[in-house]
Amino acid sequence: RNLRKIKARAHTCFNDPSFQLPAKNDKSGRDHFNFLQFSGTDEVAEDLDRFRKAIGARKLSLHGISYGTAVAMTYASKFRDHVDKFLLNSPVPPTLSMFQMAWDSAHG
């Protein structure tokens, strides 16, 4: 029963108009996309690499705390040649799903 409520709440959040953004030059013919479909840990790691390139750095030093450790681990996995120093503080398990993370956070 609780899982159904959580699923319904997540569905409501996902379909909230504030997450529906206009699409430009979309080849599929859609006039919008959902921001949440493009805002995961992989995308954050890719954004970090874009930042590295934008500032002209050969390598980044990363300090991740809690969820930031997942971002740092993902970045180091995808862009290992661009990592200098690497510090993880209070790491989350690498196999933890977002659902499990939210569930654990909600239940203390």
Side-chain angles (χ1 to χ4, degrees):
R1 182 173 179 204
N2 285 337
L3 292 178
R4 277 189 285 238
K5 286 182 182 179
I6 292 169
K7 184 177 180 180
R9 186 174 178 192
H11 185 72
T12 300
C13 178
F14 185 82
N15 290 316
D16 186 283
S18 62
F19 294 117
Q20 312 304 316
L21 302 175
K24 294 182 180 177
N25 302 321
D26 188 280
K27 294 176 184 172
S28 70
R30 295 182 305 165
D31 61 350
H32 71 280
F33 69 95
N34 189 303
F35 170 77
L36 296 176
Q37 290 177 296
F38 304 95
S39 60
T41 305
D42 281 337
E43 288 78 17
V44 175
E46 290 168 5
D47 287 346
L48 276 173
D49 200 56
R50 287 183 190 97
F51 171 74
R52 177 194 61 77
K53 291 175 185 175
I55 64 172
R58 197 171 69 76
K59 294 186 175 196
L60 288 180
S61 292
L62 304 169
H63 177 196
I65 300 172
S66 190
Y67 170 69
T69 63
V71 173
M73 288 185 285
T74 301
Y75 183 84
S77 295
K78 294 179 83 164
F79 306 104
R80 71 184 76 233
D81 293 338
H82 300 294
V83 175
D84 187 22
K85 295 169 185 66
F86 187 78
L87 176 65
L88 302 178
N89 185 350
S90 306
V92 295
T95 58
L96 189 65
S97 70
M98 290 307 288
F99 173 80
Q100 188 64 49
M101 183 184 278
W103 180 270
D104 291 346
S105 179
H107 289 89

